[in-house]
């Protein structure tokens, strides 16, 4: 090959290699930006603790369960815990008298003494009626509610034939926070609520009435 042609061929090859290298660098940079812009964080699935008494994802649950979170409680417009539970499938509520009267809960046709009600993991029931005073648990103090329909006697005893309702109360945040509400309705009915919550370090608490 002629020396001049050989030099021209080498120059063309060098230019072509340079163009290919630049294109590859641009592709690599674009891929790096795309990977960097991806949200690689994986959201934790919601956990349910009442069905097995330990945190468990919904996908692995075999029981019929329902969770009522704080947003659902706020959107419900319910005035009491009994009224909120009355709207859930498979649950019936009886109430003696007007607002604040003694309430009873039935799940899937079982008796009121065959349903366990827990507040933050502790059983709550009346020593006289044997049922839980739902009217004494203010909605403003509730963070979320977990409902298990069906027998849970192996975990909660023979009085859990119908199911289990567990109420989780709100935790106090750092600092001191207060809330209050006042409602007025027909027949001169008045509904008032007030509470305070707070925390510092490992200590936190809340009080609602």
């Amino acid at each position: 090959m002629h020396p001049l042609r050989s030099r021209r061929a080498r120059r063309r090859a060098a230019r072509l290699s340079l163009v290919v290298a630049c294109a590859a660098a641009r592709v690599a940079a674009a891929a790096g930006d795309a990977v960097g812009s991806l949200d690689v964080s994986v959201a934790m699935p919601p956990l349910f603790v009442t069905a097995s008494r330990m945190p468990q994802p919904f996908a692995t649950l075999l029981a019929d369960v329902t969770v009522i979170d704080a947003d659902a409680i706020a959107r419900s417009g319910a005035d009491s815990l009994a009224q909120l539970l009355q709207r859930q499938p498979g649950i019936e509520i009886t109430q003696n008298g007007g607002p604040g009267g003694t309430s009873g809960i039935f799940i899937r046709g079982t008796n009121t003494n065959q349903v366990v009600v827990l507040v933050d993991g502790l059983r709550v029931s009346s020593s006289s009626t044997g049922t839980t005073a739902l009217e004494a648990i203010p909605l403003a103090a509730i963070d979320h509610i977990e409902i298990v329909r069906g027998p849970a006697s192996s975990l909660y005893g023979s009085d859990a034939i119908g199911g289990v309702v567990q109420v989780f109360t709100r935790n106090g945040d750092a600092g001191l926070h207060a809330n209050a509400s006042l409602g007025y309705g027909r027949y001169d009915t008045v509904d008032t609520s007030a509470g305070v919550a707070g925390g510092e370090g490992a200590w936190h608490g809340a009080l609602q009435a």
Side-chain angles (χ1 to χ4, degrees):
M1 180 179 293
H2 194 276
L4 181 58
R5 294 180 179 177
S6 178
R7 287 196 295 272
R8 289 177 179 176
R10 288 196 296 269
R11 289 176 183 175
R12 290 176 182 175
R15 291 175 182 174
L16 181 60
S17 300
L18 180 60
V19 171
V20 172
C22 292
R26 291 177 181 176
V27 171
D33 293 340
V35 172
S37 63
L38 291 176
D39 186 7
V40 297
S41 61
V42 179
M44 290 293 294
L47 301 178
F48 194 91
V49 301
T50 307
S52 59
R53 301 188 72 171
M54 61 184 300
Q56 188 175 1
F58 280 100
T60 61
L61 290 176
L62 300 178
D64 183 3
V65 300
T66 297
V67 173
I68 310 174
D69 58 17
D71 292 336
I73 295 174
R75 294 193 306 266
S76 68
D79 297 328
S80 63
L81 176 58
Q83 188 178 114
L84 178 65
L85 294 176
Q86 175 72 58
R87 303 175 182 179
Q88 306 307 313
I91 294 181
E92 293 291 335
I93 300 293
T94 61
Q95 185 170 330
N96 298 324
T102 304
S103 303
I105 179 171
F106 301 80
I107 296 183
R108 291 183 173 178
T110 56
N111 296 326
T112 56
N113 58 358
Q114 294 175 330
V115 176
V116 171
V117 179
L118 308 172
V119 176
D120 294 331
L122 300 177
R123 291 172 179 260
V124 288
S125 60
S126 172
S127 59
S128 58
T129 63
T131 60
T132 302
L134 301 178
E135 66 280 357
I137 306 176
L139 282 181
I142 298 176
D143 180 73
H144 67 281
I145 303 170
E146 296 182 356
I147 303 172
V148 178
R149 301 177 186 84
S153 301
S154 60
L155 295 174
Y156 297 97
S158 59
D159 52 346
I161 297 175
V164 180
V165 177
Q166 181 159 200
V167 176
F168 294 88
T169 58
R170 297 179 181 271
N171 290 327
D173 298 325
L176 187 63
H177 311 275
N179 67 85
S181 65
L182 174 64
Y184 180 80
R186 293 180 298 177
Y187 308 111
D188 295 329
T189 56
V190 178
D191 181 21
T192 59
S193 176
V196 61
E200 182 177 359
W203 299 90
H204 59 81
L207 177 64
Q208 191 76 27

